[in-house]
Amino acid sequence: MATDGGSSVFVSPCAFSPKSHQYLALSTQDGSLRVWDTQSNTLYQEYVPSAHLSATCTCLAWGPCRTFKDGPQRKKRKSEVAQHGGQLDLLALGTAAGTVLLYSTVKGQLHSKLDGGHDSKVNCVRWHPENNSLYSCSDDSHIVEWDLQTGKVKCKWKADKCAVSCLCLSPDGKMLLSAGQTIKMWDLETKEVYRRFTGHATAVSMLCFANTRPPTRGMEGLYFLSGAAHDRMLSVWQVRSDGKDKNAVLSFTLTDEPIYVDLAMSQSKDEAVKLAVVCKDNQMHLFEHVLNGHCKKPLSPSCSVQVASPGSVGDSVPWPVPIMAAALTIDKQALLLAYGSGLQPVIERTTLNAGETHVCLVRDIQASLTLRTETTVTKVKTPTVKADAKLLVPGLPGHSAPNKSTPLETKRKPGSDTKEMSIEERLGVIDLSPVEGHKGVHKGGLPLQTDSFAVLLVQGLESSDSNILNKVFQTKKEVLIKKTVARLPIPAVLPLVQELSKRMQGHPYSGVLMVRWLKAVFTFHASYLSTLPSLVSQLGVLYHMIESRVKMFHKLSRLHGKLYLLITQIAATDKSHSVAALDQTAKLVYEEDSSEEEEEGTGDEMLAEEEDSDHWEEEEEMKEVTERSDKGEEHSDEEMNMENKLNGDSDLEPDNESEEE
């Protein structure tokens, strides 16, 4: 069982599968679950919960070696029952959100989710050895009993005034140990406290029973162990019928606080208990003792094991390798160790000599990981090339390379005077002129293929060539950016983020382009970035810069709104003034012929109503007078004509008048 101990250093919850120790379940710091095969030392399964970042795994426990019922799901076929029977099935995971996840290793997926029992972080989960029940404790000071067939809370009770840090069930499944401020033993039938023990000064981090329950003596003779944070002792407690069992009867001396304990129970009174304890100082201690009442003197380990890696070239000082878990095999002669990194641990089965009190295992972890990666992951095969096959010379797409032999291919003979060609001469021999009419060449000289963009980006980051980086970062196609980032190798992700962060501090236009690249990087490589221990320091500058710009954006948006209102008001006032100052001069004037009186009368249109009426009367009188005068003139003309006729005058023509004269 793995313990956290409440320390600031993160201890990955891990556990070997019971009995055969075929698998090692390990929860990483980002909340994902990985199951490793101990025989082949390879990754067997990996499960990433949907809320693995907000609800990380705080504890885990393997279920007993038996088949569980699937509750309301469909009935299994005979073939499935035969296939799944006798295999390990469920793995319980406690989370920081207060939920419990049940993962099926046979199905390779989440079996069920148990929620509604706790309000805060789950500290420990334990399986009942016989019925389909699961027990969990939390910081809310409660213990919950879960019914696995229905997936609901079967029973819940308050176990302490403070947080309950650890649980342990007796081998017969009738007693339950809980640790808070004190250690309590509960009767599971009545849910009442059977015994109280003094406990430790700090939070208890582990509990486990050391022997099976005696069949004839009741609870007397039952032993269990406990360890606490910042405590270099493992205490052994005995349950006695007289009630004088508040203090520990035995203690094991450690070099640091325990983080993982594996125990081989004694089946009889005379059989010794074997114990493997992993401490925080990267040491593993072995104990072997026959439990027989009180012992005043603390017991020292029979053997201590350390794992070290050889120093670098030129440095002979080895450096320690952290041990994560240890397990005693079925024959109790061999030892199973898991050491190294939590992302890729090394699992080794070793046999120790009985006479050695201190063993240091020197292991080259880098060489073993490299060898395992090359043999199990890459599996690169050398292709067989036929004689009639055409060999394509590697180079940039869209460029032609000559197939004829070049001076590069000529080998120098020993003693010859041929000088070695310089790099400039070698580059001059290679023809890198772009093929005419090739569609895959960009105007700036860069190819449009995604692979070439990824290669150029890596080259620019490694050589810090600003010209290459500028040409790559100037692209605006979202699809091309996403494909380039997706094909980027993992070691180049962090330099790319640093380069983008540096460029975002420049001109705002470049910041718009860099945001597209950052979005693609966080979309495709977020899982890798979350595993970096120095992620906060690496992305701190970028985060503060974005936060400052976002704060300034609110102020700028307010200023933009106020300026927009002022501009619209000024435009509205200018528009109203322009409408009032229209040119009112007539484009066309039509005048009628009329007398002077009519002209005088038309000029007085703006007079009052009384003056208008008088004016119209005077005008009528004037019209009558003019008509009378016209008629008088006509009458006088007619009289003159009559007189002329009477006198013998007639209208003669001028010529006729001159002739008469």
Side-chain angles (χ1 to χ4, degrees):
M1 66 189 74
T3 61
D4 193 352
S7 60
S8 59
V9 180
F10 179 80
V11 179
S12 300
C14 57
F16 283 101
S17 59
K19 293 186 179 181
S20 62
H21 306 303
Q22 183 180 0
Y23 301 110
L24 172 65
L26 190 144
S27 177
T28 58
Q29 193 169 0
D30 60 351
S32 60
L33 173 67
R34 293 185 177 184
V35 181
W36 297 85
D37 191 347
T38 58
Q39 296 180 359
S40 60
N41 200 8
T42 56
L43 182 63
Y44 177 65
Q45 288 180 3
E46 184 176 10
Y47 171 68
V48 181
S50 57
H52 64 101
L53 295 179
S54 60
T56 57
C57 177
T58 56
C59 56
L60 56 87
W62 286 93
C65 295
R66 52 186 170 82
T67 305
F68 290 88
K69 296 181 181 180
D70 288 344
Q73 297 182 0
R74 65 175 179 85
K75 295 180 66 177
K76 293 184 178 180
R77 300 175 182 176
K78 293 183 178 180
S79 59
E80 293 180 355
V81 173
Q83 182 180 0
H84 295 172
Q87 296 184 3
L88 294 175
D89 192 6
L90 297 182
L91 181 66
L93 306 173
T95 64
T99 58
V100 179
L101 306 178
L102 297 181
Y103 177 76
S104 175
T105 55
V106 175
K107 298 178 182 178
Q109 60 184 3
L110 185 66
H111 177 77
S112 60
K113 181 179 180 181
L114 309 178
D115 53 359
H118 296 290
D119 299 331
S120 57
K121 181 184 72 171
V122 178
N123 294 323
C124 184
V125 288
R126 288 292 178 263
W127 294 84
H128 196 279
E130 295 181 0
N131 56 24
N132 292 334
S133 298
L134 182 71
Y135 294 86
S136 61
C137 63
S138 173
D139 285 344
D140 57 5
S141 70
H142 284 79
I143 297 176
V144 176
E145 180 182 1
W146 302 90
D147 189 353
L148 299 183
Q149 292 186 356
T150 60
K152 297 181 180 179
V153 177
K154 186 177 181 180
C155 184
K156 180 179 180 181
W157 71 94
K158 189 172 183 179
D160 211 317
K161 296 181 181 179
C162 60
V164 182
S165 57
C166 195
L167 294 176
C168 184
L169 280 121
S170 60
D172 57 0
K174 295 183 179 181
M175 293 293 172
L176 176 68
L177 288 173
S178 68
Q181 289 182 345
T182 59
I183 300 176
K184 299 178 182 180
M185 180 176 285
W186 300 83
D187 188 353
L188 292 180
E189 293 182 1
T190 61
K191 302 298 187 294
E192 295 179 354
V193 178
Y194 180 77
R195 285 283 190 278
R196 294 178 186 268
F197 303 91
T198 306
H200 299 261
T202 56
V204 177
S205 58
M206 58 81 54
L207 287 172
C208 63
F209 281 91
N211 61 345
T212 58
R213 181 178 178 180
T216 58
R217 302 174 59 183
M219 296 301 297
E220 187 176 358
L222 191 63
Y223 292 88
F224 67 89
L225 283 75
S226 66
H230 310 292
D231 194 353
R232 298 182 180 181
M233 303 285 286
L234 271 182
S235 300
V236 181
W237 310 81
Q238 182 185 12
V239 181
R240 300 177 59 178
S241 59
D242 55 2
K244 297 180 180 180
D245 47 12
K246 294 184 178 180
N247 297 324
V249 297
L250 180 65
S251 60
F252 296 103
T253 304
L254 303 175
T255 55
D256 205 340
E257 64 175 279
I259 61 174
Y260 192 92
V261 177
D262 186 63
L263 184 140
M265 288 187 180
S266 64
Q267 303 298 328
S268 62
K269 182 180 179 180
D270 300 331
E271 185 180 0
V273 175
K274 290 188 177 182
L275 192 66
V277 184
V278 178
C279 298
K280 187 175 286 188
D281 60 349
N282 302 326
Q283 293 190 46
M284 194 274 298
H285 304 287
L286 294 177
F287 297 91
E288 187 173 358
H289 181 72
V290 178
L291 299 176
N292 189 12
H294 190 272
C295 183
K296 295 182 180 180
K297 186 177 180 181
L299 298 180
S300 300
S302 60
C303 182
S304 298
V305 180
Q306 283 184 299
V307 180
S309 179
S312 58
V313 179
D315 186 8
S316 60
V317 179
W319 49 276
V321 176
I323 301 176
M324 296 182 294
L328 299 170
T329 57
I330 299 177
D331 56 1
K332 300 180 183 180
Q333 299 297 328
L335 188 66
L336 197 62
L337 292 177
Y339 54 87
S341 172
L343 298 176
Q344 196 171 8
V346 178
I347 304 172
E348 180 182 352
R349 195 181 302 266
T350 181
T351 304
L352 303 177
N353 296 327
E356 296 180 355
T357 58
H358 189 85
V359 178
C360 183
L361 303 176
V362 180
R363 300 289 185 268
D364 191 356
I365 298 180
Q366 298 296 333
S368 61
L369 291 180
T370 305
L371 179 61
R372 186 172 63 180
T373 302
E374 291 179 354
T375 56
T376 62
V377 179
T378 57
K379 295 182 180 180
V380 179
K381 295 182 179 179
T382 304
T384 57
V385 182
K386 297 181 179 179
D388 56 348
K390 182 180 180 181
L391 180 62
L392 298 178
V393 180
L396 294 176
H399 295 79
S400 60
N403 293 329
K404 60 183 180 179
S405 60
T406 61
L408 295 176
E409 301 176 359
T410 58
K411 297 182 180 180
R412 292 189 303 165
K413 297 181 180 179
S416 60
D417 297 335
T418 306
K419 296 183 180 180
E420 185 179 359
M421 298 179 62
S422 62
I423 297 178
E424 184 179 1
E425 294 174 351
R426 294 182 182 182
L427 293 176
V429 173
I430 303 175
D431 185 12
L432 293 179
S433 58
V435 180
E436 296 181 359
H438 195 275
K439 299 181 179 180
V441 180
H442 193 265
K443 292 181 179 180
L446 293 178
L448 294 178
Q449 283 79 1
T450 309
D451 295 336
S452 302
F453 260 77
V455 172
L456 290 175
L457 182 57
V458 173
Q459 292 177 355
L461 292 173
E462 291 179 353
S463 60
S464 300
D465 193 341
S466 59
N467 295 328
I468 297 178
L469 294 176
N470 290 335
K471 292 180 181 179
V472 173
F473 289 149
Q474 284 177 0
T475 180
K476 298 180 180 179
K477 295 183 179 180
E478 295 288 342
V479 178
L480 185 59
I481 293 174
K482 291 180 180 179
K483 291 184 177 180
T484 303
V485 174
R487 299 183 182 184
L488 199 67
I490 294 299
V493 174
L494 191 58
L496 176 60
V497 174
Q498 295 174 352
E499 181 67 24
L500 294 175
S501 303
K502 183 175 66 176
R503 287 175 175 265
M504 281 191 65
Q505 300 176 6
H507 196 274
Y509 178 75
S510 64
V512 174
L513 298 177
M514 299 306 108
V515 166
R516 299 179 180 178
W517 287 89
L518 277 175
K519 181 180 178 181
V521 170
F522 292 147
T523 302
F524 291 99
H525 301 287
S527 58
Y528 165 71
L529 292 174
S530 61
T531 59
L532 297 177
S534 60
L535 180 64
V536 177
S537 60
Q538 295 291 343
L539 300 182
V541 177
L542 178 63
Y543 175 77
H544 290 299
M545 179 182 59
I546 294 176
E547 188 177 7
S548 62
R549 290 193 178 184
V550 169
K551 289 181 180 179
M552 187 62 66
F553 176 75
H554 293 295
K555 297 180 181 179
L556 291 176
S557 61
R558 292 177 183 176
L559 179 61
H560 178 267
K562 292 179 181 179
L563 292 176
Y564 180 75
L565 289 176
L566 290 175
I567 292 172
T568 51
Q569 290 178 359
I570 293 172
T573 53
D574 293 343
K575 187 176 181 181
S576 62
H577 288 310
S578 62
V579 171
L582 290 175
D583 188 9
Q584 297 182 356
T585 57
K587 300 297 182 181
L588 178 63
V589 179
Y590 178 73
E591 296 181 356
E592 295 182 353
D593 295 336
S594 60
S595 59
E596 295 179 357
E597 292 82 357
E598 292 177 352
E599 292 178 358
E600 292 178 358
T602 56
D604 298 332
E605 293 178 356
M606 302 302 291
L607 297 177
E609 294 180 357
E610 295 180 357
E611 294 179 357
D612 291 342
S613 60
D614 296 339
H615 175 72
W616 286 109
E617 290 177 357
E618 293 176 358
E619 190 174 2
E620 289 178 357
E621 292 177 359
M622 292 295 294
K623 287 182 179 180
E624 291 178 356
V625 172
T626 52
E627 289 178 356
R628 290 175 184 176
S629 61
D630 293 337
K631 290 180 180 180
E633 291 177 358
E634 292 177 357
H635 184 68
S636 60
D637 291 337
E638 291 179 356
E639 289 180 355
M640 290 292 292
N641 293 331
M642 291 294 294
E643 289 178 358
N644 292 329
K645 289 180 180 181
L646 292 175
N647 294 325
D649 296 333
S650 59
D651 295 332
L652 300 175
E653 295 178 358
D655 298 334
N656 297 330
E657 289 180 357
S658 60
E659 290 177 357
E660 290 178 358
E661 290 178 0

